[in-house]
Amino acid sequence: MNNLQVRDVNKNRIMNFLYSNNGATKQNIADSLSLSMPTVSLILKDLEKRGLVTKSGTLKSSGGRKPFVNSLDYGARLSCGIEVTQNHLRFVVIDLGESVLFYKKIREPFRNDEDYFRAVAEDLDLFLRENHVDLNKLLGVGIAVPGLVNPKADLLEYSPTLHVKGLSIDRLKKQISYPVMVNNEANLAGLAEIWQMDEVESAVFLSVNKGVGGAIIIDNKLYNGINGYSGEFGHMTIVQNGLPCNCGKKGCLEAYCSTKVLTEPNFEDVDDFFAALEMGNQYCKQKWNIYLDYLATGINNIRTIFDAEIIIGGEIDRYLEKYSDILMEKLQALHSFGGEPDYLHFSKFKDKASAVGAALQQIDSFLND
């Protein structure tokens, strides 16, 4: 590498160090990254000029001037995330620290036509304008879509919930006037959940919506598998020759644990189902108990295979946490190796997780490119 490339690498190392350590002195940076003090000083000066690093205080002096603490300015850059669902769009703007600054959910039923893709771009522009987002700080846009994404071919290969196959992602990208990155919604939700989890670098995320998916994170990176199909937990068989699934097979976890299982045929959405459950509806009680049996089976299978922390999220999360005692009892009864099911965590971002993860794609690229 030439000197300029070496400096860029060191700049990214320093930014990541400040990101992970929430501030450090020049000496601390130099010692931790095995860099010279002149190199650290030069790079920090450049980052300060660009508004990315600020002096956030001083430490006690052991003699001479008090050393300054240098911190990453989390508000110096922003990123926008969009989640595409069957009937809605969710928008978020986050800063470098993963804080959600603005959020909006609108009804925009998916259609596989140019009018829809144009509408997404217009809805995005309106969202940014009404929140007075500084476009000079905007790194770009991340988009979360349900289904199998082939990033090499820039293709949404298959999405049962959107009822499309072989959708060119470029049709959506070209309508948006910012850099765009696209990935699977469950993968991105998993990335959002583990991004700043203390002492957890590897975990499995289970996403339960109208579709059931997931993500595998190893050493803080998404594991995509050979063909990009990893984490499709909704299509593991839990009942031989069981109920038909959207994928065309039978007995998949999704056929038993999709939120549609709870809502069809009597309810418009999960809010209505749980309202009836809270009022003591016996039909809903029985349905919910059976649902939890199947969900516990799926979670236990994932735990047995990966022996990892499991985070559950998606549309079901905000209700599931309330009934966690019942779910934990079912998990404990199924677990082959004993012990409390303390490996299960509930989403911190709830239904915003996929949109936040989508926005994180641009931040991850910014910190590491």
Side-chain angles (χ1 to χ4, degrees), residues 17-184:
F17 183 80
L18 292 175
Y19 191 91
S20 302
N21 292 278
N22 198 25
T25 64
K26 284 183 189 178
Q27 191 66 58
N28 187 212
I29 296 168
D31 292 345
S32 299
L33 300 180
S34 300
L35 296 173
S36 70
M37 283 290 281
T39 295
V40 172
S41 295
L42 192 64
I43 291 173
L44 285 176
K45 191 173 181 180
D46 179 53
L47 291 173
E48 273 192 71
K49 276 186 185 175
R50 294 168 57 194
L52 291 169
V53 167
T54 60
K55 289 184 171 62
S56 57
T58 57
L59 296 182
K60 243 184 188 180
S61 172
S62 56
R65 289 197 312 176
K66 292 180 180 179
F68 284 105
V69 175
N70 301 276
S71 297
L72 198 64
D73 181 357
Y74 291 124
R77 296 290 184 273
L78 307 173
S79 182
C80 181
I82 306 173
E83 183 189 8
V84 175
T85 72
Q86 187 177 30
N87 292 309
H88 296 90
L89 294 171
R90 288 187 179 92
F91 297 91
V92 298
V93 168
I94 66 172
D95 64 14
L96 293 176
E98 204 187 17
S99 295
V100 177
L101 305 179
F102 308 109
Y103 169 73
K104 184 180 183 182
K105 176 183 176 181
I106 64 169
R107 185 168 178 81
E108 189 74 74
F110 178 83
R111 306 179 307 280
N112 188 8
D113 59 41
E114 297 310 310
D115 286 343
Y116 173 81
F117 301 127
R118 201 159 29 246
V120 173
E122 289 169 358
D123 292 334
L124 167 65
D125 288 339
L126 177 61
F127 171 67
L128 295 173
R129 278 200 314 274
E130 64 190 10
N131 288 297
H132 308 289
V133 173
D134 185 347
L135 301 183
N136 293 317
K137 293 183 177 182
L138 191 65
L139 295 170
V141 177
I143 301 178
V145 293
L148 301 176
V149 177
N150 184 334
K152 291 179 183 174
D154 220 16
L155 205 65
L156 176 57
E157 291 188 347
Y158 178 49
S159 174
T161 55
L162 300 183
H163 307 292
V164 293
K165 285 185 179 180
L167 174 65
S168 171
I169 291 169
D170 189 59
R171 290 174 63 195
L172 182 54
K173 282 183 175 181
K174 70 181 182 182
Q175 301 287 348
I176 295 173
S177 20
Y178 311 100
V180 177
M181 301 173 78
V182 181
N183 207 326
N184 168 268

Side-chain angles (χ1 to χ4, degrees), residues 198-269:
D198 293 337
E199 298 177 3
V200 177
E201 295 183 347
S202 301
V204 174
F205 179 75
L206 178 63
S207 174
V208 181
N209 297 293
K210 286 183 179 175
V212 177
I216 302 163
I217 301 104
I218 300 171
D219 294 332
N220 288 315
K221 296 290 181 186
L222 284 172
Y223 173 72
N224 290 309
I226 296 171
N227 300 299
Y229 300 162
S230 71
E232 286 294 333
F233 303 120
H235 301 294
M236 66 176 168
T237 304
I238 61 166
V239 178
Q240 187 69 27
N241 294 318
L243 296 173
C245 179
N246 281 327
C247 71
K249 306 298 182 184
K250 290 184 177 181
C252 295
L253 180 66
E254 184 171 305
Y256 293 87
C257 291
S258 160
T259 53
K260 289 194 296 184
V261 172
L262 299 173
T263 58
E264 294 178 354
N266 300 317
F267 300 97
E268 283 289 316
D269 54 38

Side-chain angles (χ1 to χ4, degrees), residues 308-336:
E309 302 293 299
I310 298 174
I311 306 160
I312 188 163
E315 194 178 12
I316 198 67
D317 174 78
R318 67 183 187 274
Y319 301 104
L320 190 61
E321 196 166 359
K322 184 175 181 180
Y323 297 91
S324 61
D325 289 351
I326 303 171
L327 178 60
M328 295 300 183
E329 284 177 16
K330 293 178 184 292
L331 285 172
Q332 191 160 9
L334 287 171
H335 192 41
S336 302

Side-chain angles (χ1 to χ4, degrees), residues 268-283:
E268 283 289 316
D269 54 38
V270 287
D271 295 336
D272 294 336
F273 173 85
F274 282 101
L277 180 65
E278 287 294 305
M279 293 182 71
N281 184 299
Q282 290 302 311
Y283 166 80

